[in-house]
Amino acid sequence: MSAEPTVEELSNVLSSYLDTSRINQVRRAYYYAEQAHEGQRRRSGEPYVTHPLAVAFILADLKLDHQSLMAAMLHDVIEDTGIPKEALSEQFGESVADLVDGVSKLTQIEFRSRAEAQAENFQKMTLAMARDIRVILVKLADRLHNMRTLGPLPFAKRQRIATETLDIYAPIANRLGMHSVCTELEDLGFASLYPMRSRYISQAVAKLRGSHQEIIHEIRGRLAEKLAERGLPGRIIGREKHLNSIYNKMKFKQKSFHEIMDVYAFRIITDTEDDCYRILGAVHSLYKPLPGRFKDYIAMPKANGYQSLHTTLFGMHVNIEIQIRTEEMEHIANNGIAAHWMYKNDQSNIASVNQKRVDRWVQGLMEMRERADDSLEFIEHVKVDLFPDEIYVFTPKGKIMELPSGATPIDFAYAIHTDIGNACVACRINRNLGSLSQPLQSGQTVEVITAPGARPNPAWLSFVVTGKARSSIRHVLKHQKHAESLELGRTLLKKSLNGFGQKLSQISEAQVAAVVKHNQVHSLDDLLSEIGLGNRMAYLIARQLATGGVSDEPPMEAGLEKSDDGQGRASVTIRGTEGLLVKFASCCKPIPGDPVVGLMDSGHGLVIHSDTCSRLPEDRESRARLTHLKWAKDITDEFSVELRVEMERQRGVIAEIAGAVAMADGNIERINVEEQNARFGVVSLVVHVNGRRHLARVMRRVKNIRAVTHISRVRH
């Protein structure tokens, strides 16, 4: 390859594995990119198009398909030239446009959040965002060429790119099993971040290698002899230690340079899996193996699909590390997932070997590979999330949170801290107000809005997906329900005792203990809680406490004697904000100002009805057990009311009704139009108001509309 590679040279390389029509498509993408980047130059002064061409060369070495090569040619077009994705789609098809778009998105996200060096989550998120594995391969090739040509960039930018490469891209290459790309990225990143250390280690390695040449030849000769003696095929190559791995061992494993370099490493490449184990036996008969240093990655491949036998021997007064693998394993070890594109024509035993080779997600790829007729069909199927069960979102400060797929802002809030989840009232997604129940997507920035005194909503349990959120919400609601049932039970019992002319504080401890025992509960609080939940009747417990009798017979007197509402009835004050154990009936939708009564609902507390509601019991005894209620004076909460509006049908009348409700400061929750005939219609409205006066104002406004003939409040 010349100093400035040409598209002709690329075509020659591609001709070894692609047909002419596909090579021509790659050339067409090159000429399109050349035109799009016309006049743009790299920092080094070369025409910009030399960069996409070099990226394509890297992918050609990995023998990737023609669509990946076309995407390599076009990968900067959307971002740098303003040409939209749609234009690429028209020219080169949707698959290529999607690849280019995916690479552009990875670049943008990395730019936005580079201050946050949570490398491992970032690697996962980068992978999760690329729905097609080839997006990552193009991005890795792009990064590799950028690392090779870092020279002309300013120092600070070089440092940033090198750090990002070591933290994010080299580990991704390793995760995908692409050893050759990974080690080159690591060594280039290391040389850029630590030029002095890199130079020093490099010189020390060269010097040491020179003095060790003799012993290396000796060991290699003996290994070759042993293989020949046993009739085993195998080529022996010396393995060089990479600068970055030497540095990391010195730094993190506290080893000296000579300790690391006094190990002689060889790789033996053979034909079959069976040969690998035979060669292992041969080398173990030549030198003594070190106990505990043998690893069989053929029977148990690494997560990224890597397979090999590793053993460490002691001979010639030095340690000798040996890796034994087949040609195919060598190719997989160097090129990882990219190697899978190589096997489009070979349907022999490779598919069954591949089943053992790959981990959770690559295994899915290989199963699809078996069902596909050729590599292009295979690639069509490979548009999958590598992490289908995880999403990665940002906090406003750029920290990355890992959540399960389908997680909502409530799950996010609890993942940060239980107190934040409990106090959550709203959220912003990418700076816009969002719904608390909508599932989050990878890459979004989520901000939780909290309010002092806010409490979890029971409805959250229907959409949260994380165990932490679910258990935290249940815990708070359980405590809240207990506290509220206790308070409501105390209020109801006091009211009932009032009817007997007694106060709770006046009743003796012995009498309380007797009633508690008779009702088979542990304490007075438990009894009050049971009353609040509607499981026990307040007036029966009050009678037991007041009269000293512990019979469950109903009292003779149905009315309650002492009153505090001036009408001969003891009443409980309702504020509308009591919480979980005071509910407003959906049948009659009572609002402040309506005469109301409470009906105990077993296990669920008090349900408030309008006193004219048709759902209330008819018989005198049951009605006597209703709790009489009155409204507090300063209620500002909103309540739902259903209205029925009869009107003449004319254009724009619905908008007029909505406008009239808004003018009266009402909020419309729901609006249904029920057609009657061509001239007249009926509209059913559910409106939020804060009392009877407010409702009257809303109804007056609506009635004043010329087309409205009649308006009434609906009580079922």
Side-chain angles (χ1 to χ4, degrees):
M1 214 187 295
S2 65
E4 277 196 26
T6 65
V7 72
E8 300 305 327
E9 288 173 325
L10 178 66
S11 301
N12 291 339
V13 173
L14 296 180
S15 64
S16 67
Y17 73 98
L18 285 181
D19 61 38
T20 313
S21 68
R22 287 174 181 170
I23 293 172
N24 287 338
Q25 287 182 45
V26 176
R27 290 169 73 100
R28 196 159 67 82
Y30 168 77
Y31 292 124
Y32 188 92
E34 190 177 42
Q35 210 171 345
H37 292 295
E38 185 65 49
Q40 293 181 353
R41 295 199 166 266
R42 302 198 84 208
R43 188 69 72 121
S44 59
E46 300 167 302
Y48 193 87
V49 78
T50 57
H51 167 62
L53 185 59
V55 173
F57 264 103
I58 293 168
L59 296 179
D61 285 342
L62 296 171
K63 293 189 166 46
L64 247 64
D65 67 297
H66 69 291
Q67 288 184 340
S68 305
L69 291 153
M70 290 162 79
M73 295 296 189
L74 302 163
H75 75 269
D76 283 327
V77 164
I78 292 180
E79 204 171 349
D80 292 352
T81 68
I83 291 170
K85 180 187 172 185
E86 292 69 35
L88 292 184
S89 202
E90 274 175 42
Q91 281 284 330
F92 302 103
E94 210 166 312
S95 293
V96 173
D98 282 344
L99 287 176
V100 174
D101 191 44
V103 177
S104 298
K105 282 189 174 140
L106 283 188
T107 308
Q108 287 158 12
I109 188 164
E110 148 199 317
F111 178 79
R112 190 180 68 226
S113 55
R114 66 169 179 247
E116 187 51 53
Q118 280 182 293
E120 192 178 336
N121 271 355
F122 206 112
Q123 294 156 24
K124 286 186 183 175
M125 194 177 91
T126 307
L127 285 168
M129 289 189 68
R131 299 196 67 84
D132 185 332
I133 186 71
R134 294 173 299 169
V135 168
I136 298 287
L137 302 182
V138 175
K139 185 68 196 167
L140 286 174
D142 170 46
R143 178 51 60 115
L144 183 54
H145 185 249
N146 282 336
M147 288 302 294
R148 286 173 181 173
T149 54
L150 266 188
L153 295 179
F155 176 75
K157 196 167 184 184
R158 282 207 310 272
Q159 295 285 94
R160 176 184 71 77
I161 292 172
T163 304
E164 200 174 69
T165 298
L166 290 175
D167 281 352
I168 294 155
Y169 289 102
I172 286 177
N174 183 49
R175 160 97 189 165
L176 298 177
M178 301 168 71
H179 179 73
S180 54
V181 172
C182 173
T183 50
E184 190 176 349
L185 284 173
E186 281 180 348
D187 284 353
L188 289 167
F190 175 59
S192 190
L193 269 187
Y194 307 110
M196 295 293 284
R197 295 174 210 190
S198 170
R199 211 163 24 246
Y200 169 76
I201 294 173
S202 176
Q203 286 165 358
V205 168
K207 187 177 171 189
L208 206 62
R209 200 176 287 131
S211 60
H212 285 183
Q213 229 33 334
E214 202 175 304
I215 198 164
I216 291 169
H217 282 308
E218 173 89 9
I219 296 169
R220 181 181 281 159
R222 289 204 181 179
L223 288 169
E225 263 174 48
K226 182 53 84 173
L227 295 188
E229 180 190 309
R230 301 250 176 131
L232 293 167
R235 58 191 178 93
I236 302 164
I237 47 180
R239 278 196 305 121
E240 290 183 11
K241 292 242 182 294
H242 293 277
L243 305 186
N244 189 58
S245 71
I246 294 170
Y247 175 67
N248 282 339
K249 279 180 184 168
M250 289 168 72
K251 187 175 176 184
F252 299 115
K253 294 194 176 178
Q254 308 288 312
K255 288 190 171 184
S256 72
F257 177 72
H258 286 283
E259 263 183 285
I260 297 162
M261 294 307 292
D262 275 350
V263 176
Y264 295 83
F266 295 90
R267 186 174 299 144
I268 304 174
I269 317 289
T270 186
D271 296 344
T272 67
E273 209 173 282
D274 198 39
D275 290 335
C276 294
Y277 290 104
R278 287 169 192 259
I279 290 170
L280 180 72
V283 298
H284 280 187
S285 72
L286 180 64
Y287 298 116
K288 286 271 178 290
L290 289 184
R293 297 293 297 274
F294 168 64
K295 298 272 193 320
D296 186 346
Y297 293 118
I298 292 179
M300 294 165 64
K302 283 190 182 180
N304 59 18
Y306 173 90
Q307 285 184 297
S308 193
L309 295 177
H310 290 194
T311 187
T312 304
L313 313 170
F314 183 77
M316 317 266 298
H317 308 293
V318 292
N319 282 350
I320 306 162
E321 280 179 4
I322 295 186
Q323 295 175 350
I324 308 164
R325 57 177 76 146
T326 64
E327 290 284 359
E328 186 198 330
M329 289 171 194
E330 168 76 347
H331 185 61
I332 296 281
N334 286 327
N335 298 333
I337 194 165
H340 298 305
W341 272 268
M342 285 287 292
Y343 300 123
K344 59 181 180 182
N345 299 318
D346 190 342
Q347 292 289 344
S348 61
N349 69 333
I350 286 167
S352 62
V353 175
N354 282 350
Q355 287 308 312
K356 287 187 290 180
R357 177 184 300 119
V358 286
D359 75 344
R360 180 166 63 88
W361 48 266
V362 182
Q363 191 155 359
L365 303 189
M366 298 317 296
E367 284 165 4
M368 287 185 254
R369 162 81 190 83
E370 283 176 21
R371 290 195 293 271
D373 294 334
D374 67 354
S375 65
L376 269 188
E377 187 184 334
F378 165 52
I379 286 157
E380 276 305 302
H381 292 310
V382 182
K383 291 181 179 170
V384 290
D385 244 337
L386 297 183
F387 292 84
D389 305 327
E390 294 161 1
I391 58 160
Y392 300 86
V393 290
F394 293 104
T395 67
K397 290 185 177 172
K399 185 181 175 190
I400 296 168
M401 303 290 288
E402 178 183 336
L403 294 167
S405 179
T408 63
I410 298 291
D411 294 294
F412 173 84
Y414 278 104
I416 295 171
H417 198 281
T418 308
D419 293 345
I420 288 177
N422 289 338
C424 172
V425 290
C427 70
R428 288 194 184 90
I429 298 171
N430 293 341
R431 297 196 181 86
N432 298 318
L433 278 173
S435 158
L436 288 176
S437 61
Q438 75 182 80
L440 297 170
Q441 307 291 324
S442 274
Q444 289 177 331
T445 299
V446 186
E447 181 185 347
V448 176
I449 300 164
T450 57
R455 290 187 291 199
N457 185 332
W460 291 356
L461 289 169
S462 65
F463 56 75
V464 294
V465 299
T466 56
K468 183 178 181 186
R470 192 173 296 283
S471 62
S472 302
I473 295 165
R474 282 197 177 128
H475 178 73
V476 173
L477 291 178
K478 201 169 161 187
H479 278 263
Q480 187 182 333
K481 194 167 185 177
H482 180 70
E484 287 175 4
S485 63
L486 198 62
E487 197 178 325
L488 179 61
R490 193 180 298 277
T491 306
L492 294 173
L493 186 63
K494 279 180 175 175
K495 186 214 82 167
S496 291
L497 279 169
N498 217 357
F500 291 99
Q502 296 262 9
K503 287 189 175 175
L504 190 56
S505 56
Q506 294 170 346
I507 291 166
S508 70
E509 282 184 26
Q511 177 60 13
V512 169
V515 172
V516 165
K517 186 180 177 186
H518 171 74
N519 285 283
Q520 296 178 332
V521 290
H522 294 297
S523 65
L524 178 62
D525 276 1
D526 287 351
L527 192 54
L528 294 175
S529 185
E530 286 282 278
I531 294 169
L533 287 168
N535 294 334
R536 311 231 176 212
M537 291 184 183
Y539 77 94
L540 285 182
I541 305 296
R543 184 167 181 270
Q544 291 168 9
L545 288 166
T547 62
V550 287
S551 150
D552 274 353
E553 288 175 29
M556 292 301 291
E557 66 286 353
L560 294 160
E561 294 153 17
K562 293 222 173 179
S563 77
D564 63 4
D565 70 348
Q567 295 180 19
R569 294 180 308 204
S571 62
V572 176
T573 301
I574 289 297
R575 308 193 60 81
T577 55
E578 279 75 12
L580 298 173
L581 290 165
V582 176
K583 297 184 178 68
F584 295 92
S586 56
C587 46
C588 52
K589 292 189 167 60
I591 62 171
D594 288 344
V596 284
V597 291
L599 184 63
M600 295 308 290
D601 180 9
S602 180
H604 296 96
L606 190 68
V607 181
I608 298 172
H609 291 261
S610 165
D611 72 354
T612 56
C613 180
S614 60
R615 299 271 177 94
L616 291 175
E618 295 292 330
D619 60 289
R620 186 170 173 271
E621 190 181 310
S622 297
R623 284 192 75 86
R625 293 179 185 179
L626 296 174
T627 307
H628 292 283
L629 309 170
K630 66 172 186 175
W631 295 96
K633 290 187 168 59
D634 53 351
I635 292 174
T636 56
D637 272 39
E638 291 193 332
F639 297 80
S640 292
V641 176
E642 190 174 343
L643 300 175
R644 176 186 162 90
V645 182
E646 295 172 26
M647 61 183 192
E648 294 174 17
R649 292 172 65 85
Q650 52 183 261
R651 190 187 293 270
V653 71
I654 302 294
E656 225 177 315
I657 290 172
V661 173
M663 288 290 284
D665 300 321
N667 286 320
I668 295 178
E669 181 188 312
R670 196 173 69 243
I671 188 161
N672 287 329
V673 182
E674 299 158 22
E675 189 171 344
Q676 282 194 314
N677 56 42
R679 284 192 58 207
F680 293 98
V682 174
V683 172
S684 165
L685 279 179
V686 177
V687 181
H688 288 172
V689 295
N690 58 23
R692 279 167 76 105
R693 286 185 178 177
H694 188 192
L695 174 63
R697 204 161 73 242
V698 170
M699 290 175 75
R700 207 163 39 244
R701 283 270 187 184
V702 174
K703 199 160 194 252
N704 285 342
I705 296 169
R706 183 175 289 176
V708 171
T709 55
H710 185 256
I711 181 168
S712 57
R713 181 174 170 191
V714 178
R715 298 170 190 266
H716 294 286

